[in-house]
Amino acid sequence: MRERMKAEINHLIEMLQDRQTEDGSWRFCFEGPPMTDAYMIILLRSLGINDEELIGELAHRIQSKQCENGTWKLYEDEQEGNLSATIEAYYALLYSGYKQLEDMEMRMAKQFIKKKGGLDQASSLTKIMLAVTGQLPWPKFFPVPIEMILLPQSFPINFFDFVGYARVHMAPMLIVADQKFVMKGKDAPNLSHLLNHRVSDDDYFEEFRSGSMSFITQSIKRLIGLPSELHRMALEKANRFMIGRIEPNGTLYSYFSATFLMIFSLLALGYSKDDPVIKNAVKGLKSLQCSNAHMQNSPSTVWDTSLISHALQTAGVESSSPTIQNANYYLLQKQHYRYGDWSIHNPYVLPGGWGFSDSNTMNPDVDDTTAALRAIKNTASQSPPIRQSWFRGMKWALSMQNHDGGWPAFEKNTDKKILKLVPIDGAESASIDPSMPDLTGRTLEFLGRDARLNLYHPQIKRGVNWLVKNQETNGSWYGRWGVSYIYGTWAAITGMRAVGVKRDHTSIEKGVQWLKSIQNKDGGWGESCQSDSEKSYVPLRFSTPSQTAWALEALISVYSGPTEEINRGIDSLINQLHERGQGFTYPTGAGLPGSFYIYYHSYNYIWPLLTMSRYLEKFHLQLD
């Protein structure tokens, strides 16, 4: 087994070194659902930008993802199909002109959509897209008034209580809904045949009507000023909010979905289609396309580069090698030195974090920061300038700890439970940024292994206590940004072990027993994206390389020697890498529960390489 592992490690090292780009980064595809491909076609056609080469590529890719039953799914084992994904793909294909209503595949999709309730049963974001492009009427009264953006931060609820990635979607949504803006291209298809019944306009947005918004409405009434003047001020502030968060590549916060909404909201405010802001935004969206013709929602370049550099160094690639030095140079260029919205809730610390995407300059997050710090650590010990960047980043990551002891992703202490009641799909996960086991465990793992902090440090102790308190009764932990309980349990166990929690600690033992209990017959591990929606572990009928690697690294961190479960897992992992079966393309990254899952093309290489290297690093004496 040792020689087999070494051969696989060497193969992965060579492959990754060959994939490094000239600027030192790695650019693997961040592959999400068909939404972004569909929205790009709809946007280009709506604006009259007939980029037929791009539209043709996107249409072909969307067609290739259609299932035999005529639907589109977010993940392979999703039952029947996904209504919103099918509506979006169906609409885009008709709008592209490459498919016709009478085509068999389109008739099957239409049948599924009508069976599931039609357009008015789609998700909130899909309905917004349909309304702004003239396929659904806007409601007479949108329940979240745009004046909400004027509420000062001293109010119990205000716009900045929402986490940043929610705000950059909400601002343009509020504008287009307030203006009831519609832009319908001259060749737009008519989707009225997908309405199952005729109801009043407001019924299309039934989920928006909620008493939970009454508090915001009452707060707005307390604002002093004429209603018309407040309305004008709110529109201007929403406009400034978006413009002030446009990245150098023209996108809003580096997100495709937010930029798509921003373009329509700017048009609603009177911007011309030829305005430089809109033209740059479209250009920025086009730049998000990856090699397989997919429009990425937010390219994972910084994330992938950090993880790959760290994995290569763990596997034995010297930090002085050109591969690592070039990666360091790239990462150091991407460290943030400007204050972003994160500083609203964390004002007493210098910038120093890293973001997820290549174009990101103002929206750092904890996970990318600790990943980048892991990557540059070995070089930082020998280079004073890099050491300065390392300490600056570490101070930023430490400062992001929430009051409850855990770590969030993007913004500190944005965890007002009432915001979960905002009547928009996925509000529980999209509105706030609470402490999460995966973020807390990953941060502790960095702080213990790379920063050499342990349980005697008060922040470490608080983080461990938070993890112990938030363990599931079956011994697992939920992972917010990966799928799902395997991801969270791996992060929690490796994090606790790195800071000195003993292997016989009750939480560690329970987590290990849970991982062992869900090992597949082939020796690997696999978990369905359905777990993320149901908040309960749902197994896959096959194993995936990333989830197998996560489970294995957790077990390796606990045991002093290789066990039967670990050895079976290693065998399975190597077999998966060679066979490249169903698990190789299954999405194991999470964006929004029930709505957005990610197949990271890099994960099949990063996590197996790291885990096999950890195995040899820890168990080498037993293998000699």
Side-chain angles (χ1 to χ4, degrees):
M1 178 184 287
R2 181 178 184 176
E3 295 308 314
R4 193 180 179 207
M5 262 192 293
K6 281 187 172 181
E8 197 62 38
I9 287 171
N10 289 335
H11 170 71
L12 290 171
I13 290 173
E14 183 178 347
M15 186 276 294
L16 287 171
Q17 287 179 324
D18 287 344
R19 288 286 300 266
Q20 190 175 26
T21 63
E22 289 186 6
D23 68 359
S25 68
W26 279 270
R27 297 177 183 274
F28 283 86
C29 190
F30 173 92
E31 185 174 346
M35 178 196 78
T36 46
D37 299 331
Y39 281 30
M40 191 65 182
I41 292 174
I42 294 165
L43 175 68
L44 293 175
R45 288 294 194 224
S46 297
L47 294 175
I49 301 173
N50 296 319
D51 187 338
E52 293 305 324
E53 181 179 357
L54 176 56
I55 291 171
E57 289 176 350
L58 295 174
H60 177 74
R61 185 177 186 279
I62 293 171
Q63 290 178 63
S64 72
K65 297 295 181 180
Q66 189 174 18
C67 301
E68 290 183 0
N69 66 351
T71 69
W72 280 263
K73 294 183 177 182
L74 302 181
Y75 48 92
E76 184 179 332
D77 56 319
E78 186 175 26
Q79 294 183 0
E80 291 191 86
N82 185 274
L83 176 59
S84 289
T86 302
I87 290 171
E88 291 162 350
Y90 179 88
Y91 182 15
L93 288 177
L94 288 179
Y95 216 160
S96 74
Y98 289 91
K99 298 298 288 185
Q100 307 301 321
L101 277 171
E102 60 272 14
D103 292 344
M104 175 61 72
E105 301 92 337
M106 302 301 280
R107 294 206 305 267
M108 292 171 67
K110 171 186 171 183
Q111 184 178 5
F112 171 79
I113 293 169
K114 290 183 71 66
K115 175 186 172 184
K116 292 297 180 179
L119 302 184
D120 47 320
Q121 295 301 314
S123 69
S124 302
L125 179 59
T126 306
K127 286 184 181 178
I128 294 282
M129 180 274 292
L130 292 169
V132 82
T133 58
Q135 301 295 342
L136 279 179
W138 284 108
K140 294 175 183 175
F141 301 102
F142 203 69
V144 184
I146 194 163
E147 287 82 2
M148 178 193 179
I149 203 168
L150 296 176
L151 294 177
Q153 293 177 42
S154 59
F155 272 50
I157 293 181
N158 64 81
F159 189 62
F160 286 91
D161 285 331
F162 292 91
V163 68
Y165 58 81
R167 291 194 299 270
V168 295
H169 287 83
M170 283 184 65
M173 281 184 181
L174 292 178
I175 291 171
V176 292
D178 176 82
Q179 298 293 294
K180 297 181 174 53
F181 180 73
V182 173
M183 173 173 278
K184 191 169 185 177
K186 61 184 179 67
D187 296 321
N190 184 345
L191 301 186
S192 60
H193 58 280
L194 296 181
L195 296 173
N196 269 4
H197 49 84
R198 294 291 177 182
V199 290
S200 67
D201 291 354
D202 287 347
D203 287 340
Y204 290 120
F205 285 83
E206 179 65 33
E207 81 277 12
F208 283 129
R209 286 207 291 269
S210 170
S212 63
M213 287 294 95
S214 61
F215 189 85
I216 292 176
T217 304
Q218 292 301 316
S219 298
I220 291 171
K221 290 180 178 179
R222 292 167 59 189
L223 294 173
I224 300 175
L226 296 173
S228 59
E229 181 65 14
L230 291 174
H231 185 254
R232 183 189 61 78
M233 291 170 59
L235 287 171
E236 289 180 356
K237 186 169 183 179
N239 182 31
R240 290 196 305 272
F241 173 85
M242 294 187 301
I243 297 298
R245 287 155 183 80
I246 293 176
E247 292 286 10
N249 70 342
T251 63
L252 179 57
Y253 248 39
S254 299
Y255 295 137
F256 180 101
S257 49
T259 309
F260 173 90
L261 293 167
M262 178 188 73
I263 290 170
F264 283 103
S265 69
L266 293 177
L267 293 169
L269 292 174
Y271 283 66
S272 163
K273 289 190 293 185
D274 295 322
D275 190 283
V277 176
I278 290 179
K279 293 179 77 171
N280 287 337
V282 174
K283 183 178 179 182
L285 291 182
K286 289 184 177 182
S287 74
L288 302 183
Q289 188 178 21
C290 61
S291 57
N292 67 347
H294 176 55
M295 302 302 306
Q296 303 170 97
N297 194 56
S298 49
S300 53
T301 316
V302 174
W303 176 241
D304 286 336
T305 302
S306 300
L307 294 176
I308 291 170
S309 176
H310 170 61
L312 287 172
Q313 291 176 77
T314 304
V317 177
E318 294 292 335
S319 60
S320 59
S321 71
T323 298
I324 304 305
Q325 290 297 311
N326 290 337
N328 283 346
Y329 179 78
Y330 170 82
L331 289 173
L332 291 170
Q333 304 305 307
K334 297 302 175 181
Q335 189 171 22
H336 292 193
Y337 288 93
R338 61 184 293 192
Y339 287 93
D341 286 352
W342 58 268
S343 62
I344 293 170
H345 302 287
N346 187 18
Y348 305 116
V349 64
L350 291 173
W354 277 263
F356 183 74
S357 297
D358 188 64
S359 59
N360 194 289
T361 64
M362 67 186 88
N363 186 33
D365 66 272
V366 172
D367 222 4
D368 278 284
T369 298
T370 58
L373 291 171
R374 286 183 185 91
I376 67 172
K377 186 202 75 168
N378 293 333
T379 310
S381 63
Q382 303 157 6
S383 168
I386 296 179
R387 191 180 311 132
Q388 184 179 13
S389 292
W390 194 86
F391 278 112
R392 184 165 181 159
M394 192 181 78
K395 288 179 181 178
W396 186 86
L398 279 169
S399 77
M400 291 295 289
Q401 187 175 28
N402 281 332
H403 292 331
D404 62 11
W407 269 268
F410 294 96
E411 295 185 17
K412 183 176 181 177
N413 298 324
T414 51
D415 190 16
K416 289 187 177 179
K417 301 297 188 290
I418 191 172
L419 296 181
K420 294 181 180 181
L421 302 177
V422 172
I424 295 177
D425 295 331
E428 181 175 355
S429 298
S431 295
I432 58 176
D433 190 15
S435 298
M436 281 293 169
D438 49 329
L439 269 300
T440 303
R442 292 279 296 154
T443 305
L444 289 177
E445 197 272 346
F446 159 73
L447 293 172
R449 183 182 287 272
D450 297 296
R452 302 296 183 187
L453 301 182
N454 57 34
L455 287 167
Y456 292 103
H457 192 288
Q459 285 188 260
I460 301 298
K461 188 173 183 178
R462 289 176 58 226
V464 169
N465 288 341
W466 186 90
L467 281 174
V468 171
K469 182 180 177 182
N470 285 276
Q471 187 174 21
E472 303 289 329
T473 56
N474 66 1
S476 67
W477 281 269
Y478 170 69
R480 166 67 177 86
W481 299 99
V483 178
S484 239
Y485 290 90
I486 293 175
Y487 185 75
T489 304
W490 156 71
I493 290 176
T494 54
M496 293 171 75
R497 290 291 289 151
V499 297
V501 177
K502 302 298 183 183
R503 56 186 286 185
D504 61 355
H505 188 285
T506 302
S507 287
I508 298 290
E509 288 188 335
K510 287 176 64 179
V512 166
Q513 290 305 313
W514 181 79
L515 283 174
K516 290 163 65 174
S517 74
I518 64 165
Q519 188 172 20
N520 290 336
K521 289 182 180 180
D522 68 358
W525 279 262
E527 179 177 0
S528 171
C529 294
Q530 191 177 345
S531 293
D532 197 35
S533 299
E534 300 202 2
K535 296 297 184 286
S536 177
Y537 171 73
V538 178
L540 270 178
R541 63 181 182 276
F542 50 83
S543 301
T544 73
S546 52
Q547 290 168 330
T548 299
W550 294 333
L552 280 170
E553 191 185 356
L555 296 180
I556 290 168
S557 75
V558 172
Y559 289 104
S560 56
T563 66
E564 178 187 355
E565 292 89 353
I566 292 173
N567 285 339
R568 286 179 58 229
I570 291 290
D571 275 336
S572 174
L573 182 59
I574 295 174
N575 289 337
Q576 290 173 50
L577 294 177
H578 284 274
E579 294 168 2
R580 296 195 169 208
Q582 291 172 290
F584 207 80
T585 57
Y586 191 83
T588 58
L592 187 63
S595 299
F596 199 97
Y597 297 99
I598 306 112
Y599 163 37
Y600 285 92
H601 287 222
S602 61
Y603 274 21
N604 292 320
Y605 313 110
I606 294 169
W607 305 115
L609 176 60
L610 187 63
T611 293
M612 288 187 289
S613 300
R614 292 268 191 248
Y615 181 103
L616 293 179
E617 176 185 66
K618 185 168 185 179
F619 300 148
H620 67 281
L621 293 177
Q622 290 92 327
L623 297 173
D624 287 337

